[in-house]
Amino acid sequence: MRAEISFGKSLIGILFAGLAATGCTTTSQPAATPAKTKTKQAQAAKVTFNYTAKDRDCLKRAMYFESQHSDEDGYMAVGTVVMNRLTSGAYPPSICGVVAQEKQFAPGVMTREVKPQAEPELATAADAILLKGARHPAVKDAMFFHTDGLKFPYGNMHYVTVAGGNAFYEKRDSNGMLQTPPPLPSYEVAMNYVPGESMLPPQFEALIPSAVPVPLPSPDPMATASTMSAVNMAPTARMAPIANPIPMPMPITAPVTSPATAIEPEPGMPIAIPTPRPAYDSVMLRGAISANGG
């Protein structure tokens, strides 16, 4: 009998121990949920570049004149090179600055006439780049190109694709490393439209408007009424000069950061000095490059 009672107690003890273990396992699961939620909220901030209507026009001009008035494929290839230069840190910090840089793009790119019939396709390509972050996939990290069919005696020209009558290439050393700071991928770049013609440097973390008007105090209606009553009562006083005129308040605007104060690179960061296009005095014919890369 005692053996049966002892066995019963042992069995009950085992059941309670199992339930206790199950309860501990169940209560530990919700504690892991907040950690997962916190991980999902951590996202890398994009690098934001400001652009104006003039910058958009400069982008269209580069695409039009450098792609030999070709097609959307050629437009997107040239536009990708412009954006690669903009985000690399080795070139001017605005689209117009990149396009207008001396001896880098076609002569007269900023002044020549763009044919009206090309405007719709150019606008579509420019908006795809600026608003949607589109890039030509085959151009990759290329920041250089020249007319297709030419060959130059330089060992650092790594060709990637042909589009719009141009051969696009990256400059790489003997180990295959880029010789210029690599551009940012499109998913890390945000383009912020700024009305007006002012050229603003790229803004990191915060976007600064071009001008912030400061509200001015409105005039006291009682003082105005009393002044008008005094003038109406003494007509001859209207012609008397005011000895100490009170200066009128002028509108105040917040200062705009000038391009000269653009963000400087960190010490030790390699910065490549832009070089002009290869000279044509030693040009030779080159074999065709596949449009899918080579």
PDB file of all heavy atoms in Angstrom, residues 251-288:
ATOM      1  N   PRO A 251      12.517  92.494 -45.228  1.00  0.00           N
ATOM      2  CA  PRO A 251      12.322  91.054 -45.033  1.00  0.00           C
ATOM      3  C   PRO A 251      13.655  90.366 -44.793  1.00  0.00           C
ATOM      4  O   PRO A 251      14.664  90.699 -45.405  1.00  0.00           O
ATOM      5  CB  PRO A 251      11.678  90.601 -46.350  1.00  0.00           C
ATOM      6  CG  PRO A 251      12.032  91.664 -47.321  1.00  0.00           C
ATOM      7  CD  PRO A 251      12.119  92.936 -46.545  1.00  0.00           C
ATOM      8  N   ILE A 252      13.647  89.427 -43.898  1.00  0.00           N
ATOM      9  CA  ILE A 252      14.858  88.708 -43.524  1.00  0.00           C
ATOM     10  C   ILE A 252      14.744  87.289 -44.037  1.00  0.00           C
ATOM     11  O   ILE A 252      13.720  86.642 -43.888  1.00  0.00           O
ATOM     12  CB  ILE A 252      15.038  88.696 -41.989  1.00  0.00           C
ATOM     13  CG1 ILE A 252      15.049  90.152 -41.473  1.00  0.00           C
ATOM     14  CG2 ILE A 252      16.306  87.971 -41.582  1.00  0.00           C
ATOM     15  CD1 ILE A 252      15.058  90.229 -39.971  1.00  0.00           C
ATOM     16  N   THR A 253      15.787  86.789 -44.622  1.00  0.00           N
ATOM     17  CA  THR A 253      15.806  85.414 -45.090  1.00  0.00           C
ATOM     18  C   THR A 253      17.016  84.717 -44.502  1.00  0.00           C
ATOM     19  O   THR A 253      18.031  85.340 -44.221  1.00  0.00           O
ATOM     20  CB  THR A 253      15.881  85.346 -46.632  1.00  0.00           C
ATOM     21  OG1 THR A 253      17.042  86.066 -47.063  1.00  0.00           O
ATOM     22  CG2 THR A 253      14.638  85.942 -47.260  1.00  0.00           C
ATOM     23  N   ALA A 254      16.875  83.427 -44.333  1.00  0.00           N
ATOM     24  CA  ALA A 254      17.987  82.655 -43.786  1.00  0.00           C
ATOM     25  C   ALA A 254      19.079  82.543 -44.835  1.00  0.00           C
ATOM     26  O   ALA A 254      18.805  82.431 -46.035  1.00  0.00           O
ATOM     27  CB  ALA A 254      17.502  81.254 -43.391  1.00  0.00           C
ATOM     28  N   PRO A 255      20.347  82.572 -44.442  1.00  0.00           N
ATOM     29  CA  PRO A 255      21.437  82.478 -45.424  1.00  0.00           C
ATOM     30  C   PRO A 255      21.445  81.133 -46.107  1.00  0.00           C
ATOM     31  O   PRO A 255      21.095  80.122 -45.522  1.00  0.00           O
ATOM     32  CB  PRO A 255      22.702  82.676 -44.568  1.00  0.00           C
ATOM     33  CG  PRO A 255      22.265  82.266 -43.191  1.00  0.00           C
ATOM     34  CD  PRO A 255      20.821  82.656 -43.076  1.00  0.00           C
ATOM     35  N   VAL A 256      21.816  81.137 -47.359  1.00  0.00           N
ATOM     36  CA  VAL A 256      21.892  79.918 -48.143  1.00  0.00           C
ATOM     37  C   VAL A 256      23.330  79.440 -48.152  1.00  0.00           C
ATOM     38  O   VAL A 256      24.246  80.229 -48.369  1.00  0.00           O
ATOM     39  CB  VAL A 256      21.411  80.158 -49.592  1.00  0.00           C
ATOM     40  CG1 VAL A 256      21.505  78.875 -50.399  1.00  0.00           C
ATOM     41  CG2 VAL A 256      19.986  80.685 -49.573  1.00  0.00           C
ATOM     42  N   THR A 257      23.524  78.178 -47.926  1.00  0.00           N
ATOM     43  CA  THR A 257      24.878  77.636 -47.930  1.00  0.00           C
ATOM     44  C   THR A 257      25.449  77.709 -49.336  1.00  0.00           C
ATOM     45  O   THR A 257      24.835  77.263 -50.296  1.00  0.00           O
ATOM     46  CB  THR A 257      24.855  76.171 -47.462  1.00  0.00           C
ATOM     47  OG1 THR A 257      24.201  76.120 -46.207  1.00  0.00           O
ATOM     48  CG2 THR A 257      26.265  75.624 -47.349  1.00  0.00           C
ATOM     49  N   SER A 258      26.599  78.295 -49.480  1.00  0.00           N
ATOM     50  CA  SER A 258      27.205  78.455 -50.802  1.00  0.00           C
ATOM     51  C   SER A 258      27.921  77.180 -51.197  1.00  0.00           C
ATOM     52  O   SER A 258      28.311  76.378 -50.354  1.00  0.00           O
ATOM     53  CB  SER A 258      28.210  79.617 -50.767  1.00  0.00           C
ATOM     54  OG  SER A 258      29.250  79.311 -49.878  1.00  0.00           O
ATOM     55  N   PRO A 259      28.124  76.973 -52.520  1.00  0.00           N
ATOM     56  CA  PRO A 259      28.826  75.774 -52.969  1.00  0.00           C
ATOM     57  C   PRO A 259      30.227  75.671 -52.410  1.00  0.00           C
ATOM     58  O   PRO A 259      30.809  74.597 -52.362  1.00  0.00           O
ATOM     59  CB  PRO A 259      28.824  75.922 -54.499  1.00  0.00           C
ATOM     60  CG  PRO A 259      27.662  76.805 -54.785  1.00  0.00           C
ATOM     61  CD  PRO A 259      27.595  77.743 -53.613  1.00  0.00           C
ATOM     62  N   ALA A 260      30.830  76.805 -51.975  1.00  0.00           N
ATOM     63  CA  ALA A 260      32.188  76.767 -51.470  1.00  0.00           C
ATOM     64  C   ALA A 260      32.276  76.021 -50.147  1.00  0.00           C
ATOM     65  O   ALA A 260      33.344  75.587 -49.746  1.00  0.00           O
ATOM     66  CB  ALA A 260      32.718  78.191 -51.299  1.00  0.00           C
ATOM     67  N   THR A 261      31.137  75.886 -49.454  1.00  0.00           N
ATOM     68  CA  THR A 261      31.157  75.213 -48.160  1.00  0.00           C
ATOM     69  C   THR A 261      30.665  73.775 -48.279  1.00  0.00           C
ATOM     70  O   THR A 261      30.076  73.248 -47.350  1.00  0.00           O
ATOM     71  CB  THR A 261      30.275  75.977 -47.160  1.00  0.00           C
ATOM     72  OG1 THR A 261      28.940  76.035 -47.672  1.00  0.00           O
ATOM     73  CG2 THR A 261      30.786  77.377 -46.939  1.00  0.00           C
ATOM     74  N   ALA A 262      30.860  73.154 -49.433  1.00  0.00           N
ATOM     75  CA  ALA A 262      30.430  71.779 -49.614  1.00  0.00           C
ATOM     76  C   ALA A 262      31.192  70.872 -48.658  1.00  0.00           C
ATOM     77  O   ALA A 262      32.288  71.190 -48.208  1.00  0.00           O
ATOM     78  CB  ALA A 262      30.678  71.327 -51.056  1.00  0.00           C
ATOM     79  N   ILE A 263      30.603  69.741 -48.360  1.00  0.00           N
ATOM     80  CA  ILE A 263      31.183  68.827 -47.395  1.00  0.00           C
ATOM     81  C   ILE A 263      32.527  68.330 -47.889  1.00  0.00           C
ATOM     82  O   ILE A 263      32.650  67.860 -49.022  1.00  0.00           O
ATOM     83  CB  ILE A 263      30.225  67.658 -47.142  1.00  0.00           C
ATOM     84  CG1 ILE A 263      28.936  68.188 -46.495  1.00  0.00           C
ATOM     85  CG2 ILE A 263      30.854  66.587 -46.272  1.00  0.00           C
ATOM     86  CD1 ILE A 263      27.889  67.149 -46.325  1.00  0.00           C
ATOM     87  N   GLU A 264      33.552  68.439 -47.059  1.00  0.00           N
ATOM     88  CA  GLU A 264      34.894  68.021 -47.423  1.00  0.00           C
ATOM     89  C   GLU A 264      35.047  66.522 -47.173  1.00  0.00           C
ATOM     90  O   GLU A 264      34.456  65.965 -46.254  1.00  0.00           O
ATOM     91  CB  GLU A 264      35.935  68.790 -46.605  1.00  0.00           C
ATOM     92  CG  GLU A 264      35.937  70.287 -46.856  1.00  0.00           C
ATOM     93  CD  GLU A 264      36.397  70.615 -48.269  1.00  0.00           C
ATOM     94  OE1 GLU A 264      37.144  69.791 -48.834  1.00  0.00           O
ATOM     95  OE2 GLU A 264      36.026  71.667 -48.789  1.00  0.00           O
ATOM     96  N   PRO A 265      35.865  65.834 -47.980  1.00  0.00           N
ATOM     97  CA  PRO A 265      36.095  64.407 -47.739  1.00  0.00           C
ATOM     98  C   PRO A 265      36.898  64.194 -46.471  1.00  0.00           C
ATOM     99  O   PRO A 265      37.637  65.063 -46.018  1.00  0.00           O
ATOM    100  CB  PRO A 265      36.879  63.975 -48.992  1.00  0.00           C
ATOM    101  CG  PRO A 265      37.524  65.218 -49.474  1.00  0.00           C
ATOM    102  CD  PRO A 265      36.570  66.332 -49.127  1.00  0.00           C
ATOM    103  N   GLU A 266      36.765  63.024 -45.890  1.00  0.00           N
ATOM    104  CA  GLU A 266      37.501  62.705 -44.688  1.00  0.00           C
ATOM    105  C   GLU A 266      38.989  62.608 -44.992  1.00  0.00           C
ATOM    106  O   GLU A 266      39.383  62.262 -46.110  1.00  0.00           O
ATOM    107  CB  GLU A 266      36.998  61.366 -44.126  1.00  0.00           C
ATOM    108  CG  GLU A 266      35.535  61.407 -43.682  1.00  0.00           C
ATOM    109  CD  GLU A 266      35.097  60.077 -43.121  1.00  0.00           C
ATOM    110  OE1 GLU A 266      35.949  59.149 -43.085  1.00  0.00           O
ATOM    111  OE2 GLU A 266      33.929  59.969 -42.710  1.00  0.00           O
ATOM    112  N   PRO A 267      39.845  62.914 -44.013  1.00  0.00           N
ATOM    113  CA  PRO A 267      41.305  62.819 -44.239  1.00  0.00           C
ATOM    114  C   PRO A 267      41.692  61.405 -44.627  1.00  0.00           C
ATOM    115  O   PRO A 267      41.226  60.434 -44.073  1.00  0.00           O
ATOM    116  CB  PRO A 267      41.890  63.214 -42.873  1.00  0.00           C
ATOM    117  CG  PRO A 267      40.811  63.999 -42.203  1.00  0.00           C
ATOM    118  CD  PRO A 267      39.517  63.421 -42.689  1.00  0.00           C
ATOM    119  N   GLY A 268      42.543  61.322 -45.621  1.00  0.00           N
ATOM    120  CA  GLY A 268      43.006  60.015 -46.073  1.00  0.00           C
ATOM    121  C   GLY A 268      42.167  59.408 -47.159  1.00  0.00           C
ATOM    122  O   GLY A 268      42.549  58.380 -47.734  1.00  0.00           O
ATOM    123  N   MET A 269      41.009  59.976 -47.489  1.00  0.00           N
ATOM    124  CA  MET A 269      40.156  59.427 -48.548  1.00  0.00           C
ATOM    125  C   MET A 269      40.777  59.734 -49.908  1.00  0.00           C
ATOM    126  O   MET A 269      41.089  60.882 -50.194  1.00  0.00           O
ATOM    127  CB  MET A 269      38.757  60.030 -48.477  1.00  0.00           C
ATOM    128  CG  MET A 269      37.829  59.497 -49.576  1.00  0.00           C
ATOM    129  SD  MET A 269      36.197  60.295 -49.508  1.00  0.00           S
ATOM    130  CE  MET A 269      35.618  59.649 -47.955  1.00  0.00           C
ATOM    131  N   PRO A 270      40.968  58.716 -50.770  1.00  0.00           N
ATOM    132  CA  PRO A 270      41.569  58.988 -52.092  1.00  0.00           C
ATOM    133  C   PRO A 270      40.598  59.749 -52.979  1.00  0.00           C
ATOM    134  O   PRO A 270      39.477  59.338 -53.180  1.00  0.00           O
ATOM    135  CB  PRO A 270      41.818  57.570 -52.640  1.00  0.00           C
ATOM    136  CG  PRO A 270      40.834  56.710 -51.918  1.00  0.00           C
ATOM    137  CD  PRO A 270      40.666  57.321 -50.547  1.00  0.00           C
ATOM    138  N   ILE A 271      41.031  60.873 -53.487  1.00  0.00           N
ATOM    139  CA  ILE A 271      40.213  61.690 -54.378  1.00  0.00           C
ATOM    140  C   ILE A 271      40.915  61.770 -55.725  1.00  0.00           C
ATOM    141  O   ILE A 271      42.062  62.213 -55.830  1.00  0.00           O
ATOM    142  CB  ILE A 271      39.997  63.102 -53.806  1.00  0.00           C
ATOM    143  CG1 ILE A 271      39.189  63.025 -52.528  1.00  0.00           C
ATOM    144  CG2 ILE A 271      39.297  63.991 -54.821  1.00  0.00           C
ATOM    145  CD1 ILE A 271      37.808  62.447 -52.690  1.00  0.00           C
ATOM    146  N   ALA A 272      40.249  61.309 -56.760  1.00  0.00           N
ATOM    147  CA  ALA A 272      40.835  61.325 -58.095  1.00  0.00           C
ATOM    148  C   ALA A 272      40.589  62.670 -58.748  1.00  0.00           C
ATOM    149  O   ALA A 272      39.498  63.218 -58.667  1.00  0.00           O
ATOM    150  CB  ALA A 272      40.241  60.201 -58.947  1.00  0.00           C
ATOM    151  N   ILE A 273      41.608  63.207 -59.380  1.00  0.00           N
ATOM    152  CA  ILE A 273      41.459  64.459 -60.111  1.00  0.00           C
ATOM    153  C   ILE A 273      40.899  64.134 -61.489  1.00  0.00           C
ATOM    154  O   ILE A 273      41.467  63.314 -62.209  1.00  0.00           O
ATOM    155  CB  ILE A 273      42.807  65.181 -60.237  1.00  0.00           C
ATOM    156  CG1 ILE A 273      43.358  65.499 -58.840  1.00  0.00           C
ATOM    157  CG2 ILE A 273      42.670  66.444 -61.078  1.00  0.00           C
ATOM    158  CD1 ILE A 273      44.712  66.144 -58.856  1.00  0.00           C
ATOM    159  N   PRO A 274      39.759  64.717 -61.879  1.00  0.00           N
ATOM    160  CA  PRO A 274      39.174  64.411 -63.182  1.00  0.00           C
ATOM    161  C   PRO A 274      40.150  64.712 -64.301  1.00  0.00           C
ATOM    162  O   PRO A 274      40.839  65.731 -64.302  1.00  0.00           O
ATOM    163  CB  PRO A 274      37.942  65.323 -63.244  1.00  0.00           C
ATOM    164  CG  PRO A 274      37.662  65.640 -61.822  1.00  0.00           C
ATOM    165  CD  PRO A 274      38.973  65.673 -61.118  1.00  0.00           C
ATOM    166  N   THR A 275      40.216  63.816 -65.228  1.00  0.00           N
ATOM    167  CA  THR A 275      41.087  63.998 -66.383  1.00  0.00           C
ATOM    168  C   THR A 275      40.238  64.167 -67.631  1.00  0.00           C
ATOM    169  O   THR A 275      39.157  63.604 -67.734  1.00  0.00           O
ATOM    170  CB  THR A 275      42.008  62.786 -66.565  1.00  0.00           C
ATOM    171  OG1 THR A 275      41.202  61.605 -66.661  1.00  0.00           O
ATOM    172  CG2 THR A 275      42.958  62.640 -65.376  1.00  0.00           C
ATOM    173  N   PRO A 276      40.711  64.958 -68.588  1.00  0.00           N
ATOM    174  CA  PRO A 276      39.918  65.154 -69.815  1.00  0.00           C
ATOM    175  C   PRO A 276      39.857  63.886 -70.641  1.00  0.00           C
ATOM    176  O   PRO A 276      40.524  62.886 -70.346  1.00  0.00           O
ATOM    177  CB  PRO A 276      40.685  66.280 -70.535  1.00  0.00           C
ATOM    178  CG  PRO A 276      42.066  66.186 -70.011  1.00  0.00           C
ATOM    179  CD  PRO A 276      41.950  65.732 -68.581  1.00  0.00           C
ATOM    180  N   ARG A 277      39.060  63.935 -71.662  1.00  0.00           N
ATOM    181  CA  ARG A 277      38.957  62.793 -72.553  1.00  0.00           C
ATOM    182  C   ARG A 277      40.319  62.456 -73.169  1.00  0.00           C
ATOM    183  O   ARG A 277      41.165  63.326 -73.296  1.00  0.00           O
ATOM    184  CB  ARG A 277      37.971  63.085 -73.676  1.00  0.00           C
ATOM    185  CG  ARG A 277      36.537  63.125 -73.218  1.00  0.00           C
ATOM    186  CD  ARG A 277      35.669  63.340 -74.406  1.00  0.00           C
ATOM    187  NE  ARG A 277      34.270  63.084 -74.090  1.00  0.00           N
ATOM    188  CZ  ARG A 277      33.322  63.016 -74.989  1.00  0.00           C
ATOM    189  NH1 ARG A 277      33.594  63.184 -76.263  1.00  0.00           N
ATOM    190  NH2 ARG A 277      32.074  62.792 -74.642  1.00  0.00           N
ATOM    191  N   PRO A 278      40.562  61.184 -73.578  1.00  0.00           N
ATOM    192  CA  PRO A 278      41.844  60.836 -74.205  1.00  0.00           C
ATOM    193  C   PRO A 278      42.071  61.652 -75.470  1.00  0.00           C
ATOM    194  O   PRO A 278      41.149  61.963 -76.213  1.00  0.00           O
ATOM    195  CB  PRO A 278      41.674  59.344 -74.521  1.00  0.00           C
ATOM    196  CG  PRO A 278      40.594  58.875 -73.620  1.00  0.00           C
ATOM    197  CD  PRO A 278      39.681  60.042 -73.423  1.00  0.00           C
ATOM    198  N   ALA A 279      43.318  62.003 -75.672  1.00  0.00           N
ATOM    199  CA  ALA A 279      43.659  62.777 -76.868  1.00  0.00           C
ATOM    200  C   ALA A 279      43.465  61.921 -78.106  1.00  0.00           C
ATOM    201  O   ALA A 279      43.674  60.703 -78.089  1.00  0.00           O
ATOM    202  CB  ALA A 279      45.100  63.264 -76.782  1.00  0.00           C
ATOM    203  N   TYR A 280      43.084  62.544 -79.187  1.00  0.00           N
ATOM    204  CA  TYR A 280      42.798  61.813 -80.420  1.00  0.00           C
ATOM    205  C   TYR A 280      44.023  61.733 -81.341  1.00  0.00           C
ATOM    206  O   TYR A 280      43.928  61.262 -82.464  1.00  0.00           O
ATOM    207  CB  TYR A 280      41.643  62.472 -81.173  1.00  0.00           C
ATOM    208  CG  TYR A 280      40.299  62.172 -80.597  1.00  0.00           C
ATOM    209  CD1 TYR A 280      39.798  62.921 -79.530  1.00  0.00           C
ATOM    210  CD2 TYR A 280      39.524  61.120 -81.070  1.00  0.00           C
ATOM    211  CE1 TYR A 280      38.570  62.637 -78.974  1.00  0.00           C
ATOM    212  CE2 TYR A 280      38.285  60.822 -80.527  1.00  0.00           C
ATOM    213  CZ  TYR A 280      37.814  61.590 -79.479  1.00  0.00           C
ATOM    214  OH  TYR A 280      36.595  61.311 -78.923  1.00  0.00           O
ATOM    215  N   ASP A 281      45.195  62.207 -80.875  1.00  0.00           N
ATOM    216  CA  ASP A 281      46.357  62.202 -81.765  1.00  0.00           C
ATOM    217  C   ASP A 281      46.918  60.797 -81.948  1.00  0.00           C
ATOM    218  O   ASP A 281      47.639  60.523 -82.905  1.00  0.00           O
ATOM    219  CB  ASP A 281      47.450  63.133 -81.222  1.00  0.00           C
ATOM    220  CG  ASP A 281      47.779  62.824 -79.768  1.00  0.00           C
ATOM    221  OD1 ASP A 281      47.110  61.945 -79.190  1.00  0.00           O
ATOM    222  OD2 ASP A 281      48.689  63.472 -79.227  1.00  0.00           O
ATOM    223  N   SER A 282      46.618  59.859 -81.017  1.00  0.00           N
ATOM    224  CA  SER A 282      47.130  58.498 -81.137  1.00  0.00           C
ATOM    225  C   SER A 282      45.984  57.501 -81.259  1.00  0.00           C
ATOM    226  O   SER A 282      46.092  56.372 -80.816  1.00  0.00           O
ATOM    227  CB  SER A 282      47.977  58.156 -79.912  1.00  0.00           C
ATOM    228  OG  SER A 282      47.215  58.265 -78.727  1.00  0.00           O
ATOM    229  N   VAL A 283      44.866  57.942 -81.833  1.00  0.00           N
ATOM    230  CA  VAL A 283      43.692  57.095 -81.918  1.00  0.00           C
ATOM    231  C   VAL A 283      43.843  56.042 -82.994  1.00  0.00           C
ATOM    232  O   VAL A 283      44.483  56.254 -84.019  1.00  0.00           O
ATOM    233  CB  VAL A 283      42.438  57.955 -82.188  1.00  0.00           C
ATOM    234  CG1 VAL A 283      42.480  58.562 -83.570  1.00  0.00           C
ATOM    235  CG2 VAL A 283      41.181  57.117 -82.017  1.00  0.00           C
ATOM    236  N   MET A 284      43.299  54.855 -82.749  1.00  0.00           N
ATOM    237  CA  MET A 284      43.287  53.766 -83.715  1.00  0.00           C
ATOM    238  C   MET A 284      41.896  53.162 -83.732  1.00  0.00           C
ATOM    239  O   MET A 284      41.107  53.399 -82.828  1.00  0.00           O
ATOM    240  CB  MET A 284      44.304  52.694 -83.316  1.00  0.00           C
ATOM    241  CG  MET A 284      45.748  53.186 -83.268  1.00  0.00           C
ATOM    242  SD  MET A 284      46.860  51.886 -82.726  1.00  0.00           S
ATOM    243  CE  MET A 284      46.329  51.720 -81.032  1.00  0.00           C
ATOM    244  N   LEU A 285      41.614  52.388 -84.750  1.00  0.00           N
ATOM    245  CA  LEU A 285      40.320  51.720 -84.817  1.00  0.00           C
ATOM    246  C   LEU A 285      40.311  50.557 -83.845  1.00  0.00           C
ATOM    247  O   LEU A 285      41.298  49.844 -83.680  1.00  0.00           O
ATOM    248  CB  LEU A 285      40.047  51.220 -86.243  1.00  0.00           C
ATOM    249  CG  LEU A 285      39.803  52.310 -87.290  1.00  0.00           C
ATOM    250  CD1 LEU A 285      39.581  51.683 -88.658  1.00  0.00           C
ATOM    251  CD2 LEU A 285      38.590  53.145 -86.897  1.00  0.00           C
ATOM    252  N   ARG A 286      39.196  50.357 -83.160  1.00  0.00           N
ATOM    253  CA  ARG A 286      39.065  49.300 -82.183  1.00  0.00           C
ATOM    254  C   ARG A 286      37.930  48.392 -82.593  1.00  0.00           C
ATOM    255  O   ARG A 286      36.954  48.811 -83.201  1.00  0.00           O
ATOM    256  CB  ARG A 286      38.752  49.891 -80.792  1.00  0.00           C
ATOM    257  CG  ARG A 286      38.527  48.856 -79.723  1.00  0.00           C
ATOM    258  CD  ARG A 286      38.227  49.533 -78.387  1.00  0.00           C
ATOM    259  NE  ARG A 286      37.114  50.471 -78.488  1.00  0.00           N
ATOM    260  CZ  ARG A 286      35.839  50.081 -78.582  1.00  0.00           C
ATOM    261  NH1 ARG A 286      35.525  48.820 -78.576  1.00  0.00           N
ATOM    262  NH2 ARG A 286      34.884  50.990 -78.680  1.00  0.00           N
ATOM    263  N   GLY A 287      38.050  47.135 -82.240  1.00  0.00           N
ATOM    264  CA  GLY A 287      36.988  46.189 -82.551  1.00  0.00           C
ATOM    265  C   GLY A 287      35.717  46.518 -81.824  1.00  0.00           C
ATOM    266  O   GLY A 287      35.724  47.212 -80.815  1.00  0.00           O
ATOM    267  N   ALA A 288      34.606  46.020 -82.308  1.00  0.00           N
ATOM    268  CA  ALA A 288      33.295  46.337 -81.717  1.00  0.00           C
ATOM    269  C   ALA A 288      33.181  45.698 -80.333  1.00  0.00           C
ATOM    270  O   ALA A 288      33.714  44.635 -80.062  1.00  0.00           O
ATOM    271  CB  ALA A 288      32.174  45.833 -82.631  1.00  0.00           C
TER     272      ALA A 288
END
